[in-house]
Structures are given as structure tokens and as C-alpha cells.
């Protein structure tokens, strides 16, 4: 086994950057020349698990340990929506739900007045490519919210707050196209996905669907079908992905929160690139009902937010069991335990992993990690250093899993195959070379990695793991990528290297803003054990309160409606 692992570590992933016609020709070549597809897959290390013949673990498809399952009776309880304490509200240069809620309750403005201003801002930002489709009843939703406030009966602190949702989740009357040019053409959703329904029940105003990578199959949201979302901190740089539109519209001030989806970092990466809080929830914590089943064993939904409070409140609203999604019935009770205990972290042990991809990480990110470690230690947190075995195999297993699942979904639409973007077609041609033995061995590695996580969190008594969210800061996207897209596998891996563990094992993770370098945001990630989102929300709140960590909104591309 050691020899095989050494070979995996020494294998150099090799793939060219492709844009424009070379990308189109590469996609055509892989579709017509099977030998080329196999070579690309081999270079991508997708066959490496075939060399491991002594895997004894049973394969796991549902990444929730048996001893972490709390079966529900399948009935949605009418749980009271949590209320956050105004005495501890987020301190931020960004407007949060607190600002909206206070302005409405003090009669300084109304949801309807703000909605009219927001519609102007939405028109101003069309060329930012953050939102694909707008709902046609924004004013009607705002009018209903206004009436509730006038009657002193808001449904929650999120009532009258504007929210966008990644385009892979059903919003009633909108086409759920998942970033493509053809899926659900002329076939708008007949009802909301569960998480959208829960947001509405809390009074949130759903304004539309946020732009994403086609099928979510990359991490930079380069999408010629919709236009590529522009990072408000620097317009030529990536918002991240695949929930890039979600991050862009929050960072640009349009909304304080958006819902993203994360199959390989797609909440945490855009949150890092745009200086936001982003929570990838435990597998099954947020119902997937009404969402496109793009990557059903690694994907999770969660909020991308301007503040820790926006993130925590929204998380508490959208999570919980749902009979429409059987995996959501396995979860423990949702709570925000000790959320306001952010100035005393003496009960928390945080692990760092010094040898994890250290040579691949931008040094300025590691510098910020050390600063956070020092500041959190001052609040009483205990730090330890750990090793996580088999991270090299974990990356391969995750890649095999998500590519197999995305290919399975994409291949439903054979009659529209040529309508996919060249990068998607290239990835499909590579993924179709994967065999059942590759997928099964990937699930055996998943079992192994889940066992490692159980040991770290349960036996070694680690509460949190602190790592970078990505090995890079938001990169510049060249103009030549805008017509046909791009394929830059090396940069994709640099963005995903610290995300794949969480998706493969199902554990939750949160990105927290960690300052700036050359005017671009830096992000750090905390991971916790299954169902322990409450601790992640608490540590995010603690990080938000740290002194001398720069947090600023974009200087030139700011579109928040006036309250």
C-alpha cells in the first residue's frame, strides 16, 4: 500500500490550459477518439485506484456514519424559527438582515419601497451576470411583507430580506436550467424546492436564480450560456464556483444572503474568492427536494452570506428533516447552541494540518492562517497539529465520484449533447471511461476517510479543523475564456484541494473572510464533525469579531439598495 501511495503522490497531474477553438477541438477529439479520452483520464489519475488491491473497507454511498444517524419519524415539525440576539449582532461594513429588519420595524422604509429600489439595481447589474432569471412577483412578495410589518407580525427576522438561489434549485415559475442552454426550456418549475419554500415561510423575498457553472462542473463559473459572473472586487477576476452568481450578488451588495450548492467546494470557494461567509452543511442537513440531482452523494446546500448572522439565521431556516428527501430524515436536531459565546473559546480544540498541500498554497494565505491561529488562541482556543492519512487517495476518490455522478446526470440529455459547452463535453468524455470498479473503490476510500474523521473528532477529541479554503486567491479569467469557456485543470485542483474531504465524507465546513491581498479577499475554512454546524456558526461569529482583520466592501462595484 505504501508503495502505491508514494506513486500517487509522485504522479504529476498533467493537462494543458485550453480556451477558444483549441478547447472546442479538444472536446471533439475526445468524443471521437476513445484512446485520447483514456489517456486524459489516466493523466488525471482516475485509474490510480485500480492499483490498490487490498482495500478491505465496505463501500459507502451515504456519507453519514451509522452512529451519527438520528432517524426521524418523517413528519416535519412546525419548529419555531430561531431568533438571534440583537445585543450580539454582526458588526460589518455590509448590510445584513439586521439593517433591513430594523428599518422595517422602525418604519424608516418598507419592503415595498426597498423592492422598487432593488429593481433599479438589478437592471444596473445585468452586465455583472450574477442573476440569470428574475421572479415576476418581487413587488407582490414585498407588498405582502410590508403588510405584515404594518400589522407588527413579521414571520421572522428574515421577513422582507431579499434572497437569490443557485439555478439548480426549483423556484416556482422559473426554468431550472442548471447553467445549461437547454434543460427545462419552456418547462418552468411548478413548485418551489423545499429550501425555497422554507425561505418563503420565513418571509424572505425570492428575487431569482443565481448564475452557475454549467452543471456545476468547475469552480470558476465561466459560463458563456449566461455570461460569467464578475467579481465586484476586480471585474476581471473570478467569483469562484460553481455558485459564482450567488457570491457575486452578495459581495456586490444586492442581497445579504444567497443559497449555494457544494459538491466540491462550490459554496466555500466562491465565499473565499468574494470575502463572504459560506456554510457547506452536513450531507442531508438541508433537503435536496426540488434540486437537480447533479452529484447526489457529495452535494449539499447552504448559505453564502455577508455576515455570520445572515449565514447562521438562514442556515437554521432552510435545514431540518423533509419527507421528500429521505436522507434528510437521518439528521440530529438543528440548533445554534452557544452561538453568542464567541469571546471565550476555551472549550474548543482546533487542529491544523501543516503538511496538507502546504507547497501548493499561496504563502499569503498561510500567513493569514497563522494570524488567525494566534488570535483565536488569545480567546482561549487550544490548537494541536494533526496528520490526516490518505488525503491523496481522498482527492482521487472524490474526483471519481463527482465526475461519475455528473456524467450520469448529463447523459440523460443525449439529444442535446452538442449543446453542452466544450468544457462539459470534455469532462463527459473523460468521465465515461471510468468503470464500475473505479467507482466502487472510490466508495471504499470514502469509508476509510470517514473512519479517519471519526477518529479525529471522536477519539482524538478535536472539535474543528482549520485549513485554507483554497490554495489560491481569486484568479483573473482571460477574455479568451468568454466565448467557449475554459479548461484549466491545474487551477481547478488548486481551488478544490481543501474542499474534497468535506464532500466525500459528508462533514460540514465554513469559509470565513480572512483579510485581503492586493485588494482581493482571502478565505479560511473550518471543518467540524457531522451535524455540528452550530460550532461552525459560532467560530464564524468569533472570527467576525477578531480585531485587525480587514473587511471591506467593494470600492467601485457596490449596488446595495438604500434603506
Amino acid at each position: 500500500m505504501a508503495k502505491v501511495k508514494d506513486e500517487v503522490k509522485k504522479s504529476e497531474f498533467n493537462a494543458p490550459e485550453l480556451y477558444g477553438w483549441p478547447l472546442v477541438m479538444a472536446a471533439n477529439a475526445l468524443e471521437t477518439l476513445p484512446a485520447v479520452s483514456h489517456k486524459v483520464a489516466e493523466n488525471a489519475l482516475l485509474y490510480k485506484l485500480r492499483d490498490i488491491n487490498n482495500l478491505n473497507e465496505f463501500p459507502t454511498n451515504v456519507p453519514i456514519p451509522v452512529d451519527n444517524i438520528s432517524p426521524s419519524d418523517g413528519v416535519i415539525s412546525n419548529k419555531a424559527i430561531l431568533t438571534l440576539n440583537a445585543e450580539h449582532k454582526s458588526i460589518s461594513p455590509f448590510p445584513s438582515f439586521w439593517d433591513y429588519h430594523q428599518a422595517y420595524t422602525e418604519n424608516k422604509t418598507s419592503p415595498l419601497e426597498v423592492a422598487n429600489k432593488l429593481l433599479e439595481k438589478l437592471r444596473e447589474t445585468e452586465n455583472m451576470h450574477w442573476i440569470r432569471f428574475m421572479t415576476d412577483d418581487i413587488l407582490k412578495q414585498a407588498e405582502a411583507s410590508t403588510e405584515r410589518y404594518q400589522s407588527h407580525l413579521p414571520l421572522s427576522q428574515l421577513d422582507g430580506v431579499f434572497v437569490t438561489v443557485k439555478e439548480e434549485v426549483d423556484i416556482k415559475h422559473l426554468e431550472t436550467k442548471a447553467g445549461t442552454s437547454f434543460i427545462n426550456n419552456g418547462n418552468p418549475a411548478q413548485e418551489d424546492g423545499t429550501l425555497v419554500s422554507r425561505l418563503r415561510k420565513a418571509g424572505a423575498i425570492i428575487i431569482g436564480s443565481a448564475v452557475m457553472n454549467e452543471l456545476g462542473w468547475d469552480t470558476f463559473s465561466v459560463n458563456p450560456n449566461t455570461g460569467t459572473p464578475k467579481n465586484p472586487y476586480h471585474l476581471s477576476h473570478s467569483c469562484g464556483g460553481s455558485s459564482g452568481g450567488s457570491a457575486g450578488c452578495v459581495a456586490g451588495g444586492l442581497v445579504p444572503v444567497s443559497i449555494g450548492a457544494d459538491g466540491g467546494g462550490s459554496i466555500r470557494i466562491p465565499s473565499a474568492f468574494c470575502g463572504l461567509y459560506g456554510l457547506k452543511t452536513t450531507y442531508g442537513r438541508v433537503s435536496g427536494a426540488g434540486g437537480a440531482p447533479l452529484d447526489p452523494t457529495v452535494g449539499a446546500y447552504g448559505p453564502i452570506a455577508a455576515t455570520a448572522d445572515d449565514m447562521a439565521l438562514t442556515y437554521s431556516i432552510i435545514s431540518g428533516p423533509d419527507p421528500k428527501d429521505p436522507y434528510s430524515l437521518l439528521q440530529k436536531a438543528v440548533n445554534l447552541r452557544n452561538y453568542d459565546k464567541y469571546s471565550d473559546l476555551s472549550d474548543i480544540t482546533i487542529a491544523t494540518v501543516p503538511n496538507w498541500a502546504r507547497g501548493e498554497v499561496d504563502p499569503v494565505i498561510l500567513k493569514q492562517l497563522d494570524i488567525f491561529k494566534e488570535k483565536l488562541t488569545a480567546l482561549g482556543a487550544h490548537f494541536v497539529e494533526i496528520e490526516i492519512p490518505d488525503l491523496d487517495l481522498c482527492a482521487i476518490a472524490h474526483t471519481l465520484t463527482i465526475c461519475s455522478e455528473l456524467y450520469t446526470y448529463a447523459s440523460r440529455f443525449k439529444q442535446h449533447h452538442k449543446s453542452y459547452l466544450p468544457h462539459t463535453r470534455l469532462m463527459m468524455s473523460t468521465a465515461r471511461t471510468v468503470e464500475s470498479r473505479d467507482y466502487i473503490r472510490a466508495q471504499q476510500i470514502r469509508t476509510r476517510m470517514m473512519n479517519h474523521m471519526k477518529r479525529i473528532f471522536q477519539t482524538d477529541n478535536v472539535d474543528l479543523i482549520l485549513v485554507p479554503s483554497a490554495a489560491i486567491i481569486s484568479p483573473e479569467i482571460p477574455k479568451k475564456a468568454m466565448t467557449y469557456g475554459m479548461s484549466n485543470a491545474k487551477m481547478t485542483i488548486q481551488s478544490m484541494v481543501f474542499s474534497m474531504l468535506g464532500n466525500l465524507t459528508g462533514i460540514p465546513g465554513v469559509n470565513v473572510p480572512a483579510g485581503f491581498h492586493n485588494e482581493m479577499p482571502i478565505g479560511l475554512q473550518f471543518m467540524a464533525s457531522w451535524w455540528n454546524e452550530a460550532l461552525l456558526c459560532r467560530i464564524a461569529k468569533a472570527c467576525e469579531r477578531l480585531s485587525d482583520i480587514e473587511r471591506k466592501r467593494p470600492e467601485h462595484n457596490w449596488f446595495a439598495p438604500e434603506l
Side-chain angles (χ1 to χ4, degrees):
M1 171 65 79
K3 181 179 179 182
V4 171
K5 286 179 66 177
D6 287 342
E7 288 176 359
V8 172
K9 290 177 180 177
K10 291 176 183 176
S11 298
E12 185 171 343
F13 184 88
N14 204 0
E17 293 180 32
L18 294 171
Y19 307 89
W21 277 109
L23 176 58
V24 175
M25 290 187 287
N28 291 336
L30 265 65
E31 289 171 348
T32 56
L33 300 171
V36 178
S37 296
H38 281 281
K39 183 61 177 175
V40 170
E42 183 179 17
N43 287 347
L45 310 182
L46 294 184
Y47 302 158
K48 270 296 174 183
L49 298 188
R50 297 176 185 179
D51 299 331
I52 304 176
N53 295 310
N54 59 346
L55 285 173
N56 297 315
E57 291 87 352
F58 282 95
T60 296
N61 284 102
V62 180
I64 306 170
V66 173
D67 57 0
N68 275 265
I69 290 175
S70 299
S72 164
D73 59 9
V75 177
I76 298 178
S77 60
N78 291 317
K79 63 172 186 177
I81 296 173
L82 298 180
T83 299
L84 300 191
N85 187 344
E87 292 182 8
H88 299 278
K89 67 181 179 180
S90 288
I91 300 171
S92 172
F94 288 79
S96 74
F97 78 82
W98 290 111
D99 300 290
Y100 288 84
H101 188 63
Q102 182 176 352
Y104 299 154
T105 54
E106 294 179 356
N107 240 355
K108 292 179 179 178
T109 187
S110 70
L112 186 57
E113 289 178 11
V114 178
N116 278 297
K117 295 175 183 177
L118 181 61
L119 288 172
E120 288 294 325
K121 297 295 184 181
L122 290 168
R123 285 187 280 271
E124 283 182 43
T125 57
E126 287 180 359
N127 68 344
M128 301 297 282
H129 305 303
W130 294 333
I131 297 172
R132 184 167 190 180
F133 299 121
M134 285 171 44
T135 54
D136 59 6
D137 65 343
I138 293 174
L139 294 180
K140 183 178 179 181
Q141 294 180 68
E143 186 175 0
S145 179
T146 297
E147 291 176 359
R148 291 192 292 269
Y149 275 100
Q150 288 173 343
S151 301
H152 307 289
L153 295 171
L155 297 173
S156 75
Q157 291 171 319
L158 206 63
D159 201 333
V161 176
F162 301 87
V163 178
T164 58
V165 179
K166 189 177 183 181
E167 200 212 348
E168 64 181 77
V169 182
D170 286 346
I171 300 172
K172 189 174 182 179
H173 301 319
L174 297 187
E175 295 173 353
T176 310
K177 303 181 77 65
T180 69
S181 62
F182 59 88
I183 292 176
N184 285 320
N185 271 352
N187 182 33
Q190 297 303 301
E191 61 181 31
D192 292 323
T194 294
L195 70 85
V196 176
S197 176
R198 289 178 175 178
L199 287 167
R200 291 195 197 272
K201 288 178 181 177
I205 297 173
I206 308 301
I207 66 171
S209 54
V211 168
M212 59 183 286
N213 274 103
E214 186 172 70
L215 302 183
W217 213 332
D218 203 5
T219 56
F220 303 106
S221 298
V222 174
N223 190 339
N225 293 326
T226 59
T228 295
K230 297 177 182 178
N231 192 313
Y233 286 98
H234 198 302
L235 298 183
S236 64
H237 284 243
S238 174
C239 279
S242 58
S243 308
S246 291
C249 64
V250 176
L254 280 181
V255 295
V257 65
S258 181
I259 303 302
D262 191 317
S266 292
I267 288 173
R268 292 159 290 168
I269 295 165
S271 298
F273 284 5
C274 291
L276 304 169
Y277 294 86
L279 180 63
K280 179 263 177 201
T281 54
T282 303
Y283 180 84
R285 176 62 100 179
V286 178
S287 171
L294 302 175
D295 44 15
T297 78
V298 293
Y301 296 109
I304 294 175
T307 73
D309 284 358
D310 288 285
M311 180 187 76
L313 179 63
T314 304
Y315 154 70
S316 72
I317 288 169
I318 65 175
S319 57
D322 173 21
K324 295 179 181 178
D325 179 355
Y327 295 126
S328 76
L329 304 181
L330 306 178
Q331 64 183 282
K332 296 183 178 180
V334 178
N335 68 77
L336 289 176
R337 185 180 298 112
N338 294 325
Y339 180 60
D340 292 331
K341 190 182 176 185
Y342 49 80
S343 58
D344 179 5
L345 305 181
S346 59
D347 58 329
I348 297 177
T349 297
I350 304 174
T352 57
V353 194
N355 294 325
W356 187 358
R358 191 172 186 87
E360 301 172 32
V361 183
D362 189 321
V364 299
I365 300 175
L366 295 176
K367 180 181 177 181
Q368 291 304 105
L369 191 151
D370 289 338
I371 290 172
F372 268 63
K373 180 179 176 181
E374 179 181 326
K375 289 181 176 293
L376 295 173
T377 298
L379 294 177
H382 305 281
F383 275 85
V384 296
E385 293 184 355
I386 63 170
E387 296 288 335
I388 302 177
D390 301 309
L391 286 169
D392 47 355
L393 299 179
C394 175
I396 296 171
H398 173 268
T399 302
L400 280 166
T401 303
I402 193 169
C403 286
S404 297
E405 293 176 2
L406 285 168
Y407 173 68
T408 299
Y409 181 83
S411 61
R412 294 181 179 187
F413 308 98
K414 293 180 180 179
Q415 70 275 25
H416 294 290
H417 179 79
K418 291 294 185 180
S419 297
Y420 282 121
L421 294 172
H423 173 264
T424 303
R425 291 166 51 206
L426 187 152
M427 295 301 295
M428 290 176 68
S429 294
T430 304
R432 75 182 178 198
T433 70
V434 171
E435 299 177 0
S436 57
R437 58 174 169 163
D438 301 311
Y439 187 83
I440 293 298
R441 290 185 185 193
Q443 308 322 300
Q444 290 179 280
I445 296 297
R446 191 203 293 256
T447 304
R448 176 178 295 183
M449 298 310 299
M450 290 172 65
N451 288 336
H452 291 329
M453 292 298 98
K454 285 177 64 178
R455 172 183 57 78
I456 289 168
F457 288 123
Q458 298 175 15
T459 304
D460 298 346
N461 295 316
V462 167
D463 298 302
L464 295 167
I465 299 171
L466 171 60
V467 295
S469 290
I472 56 176
I473 297 170
S474 169
E476 188 168 5
I477 303 299
K479 290 182 180 179
K480 59 186 176 181
M482 300 306 166
T483 304
Y484 295 107
M486 76 174 193
S487 177
N488 189 332
K490 181 179 180 181
M491 200 160 69
T492 298
I493 291 170
Q494 288 174 318
S495 69
M496 291 178 64
V497 61
F498 296 104
S499 295
M500 294 183 276
L501 174 65
N503 294 102
L504 190 69
T505 62
I507 62 173
V510 65
N511 175 77
V512 298
F516 288 80
H517 177 67
N518 291 337
E519 300 301 313
M520 295 303 296
I522 297 171
L524 297 176
Q525 178 187 187
F526 293 88
M527 290 179 277
S529 187
W530 297 269
W531 314 127
N532 204 359
E533 288 89 351
L535 182 56
L536 293 175
C537 290
R538 179 185 169 195
I539 196 66
K541 180 81 164 179
C543 291
E544 186 176 52
R545 292 277 179 146
L546 295 178
S547 61
D548 302 320
I549 302 298
E550 186 178 20
R551 188 91 199 282
K552 59 186 178 183
R553 59 197 193 190
E555 184 177 353
H556 300 295
N557 303 291
W558 182 249
F559 303 97
E562 183 181 353
L563 297 179

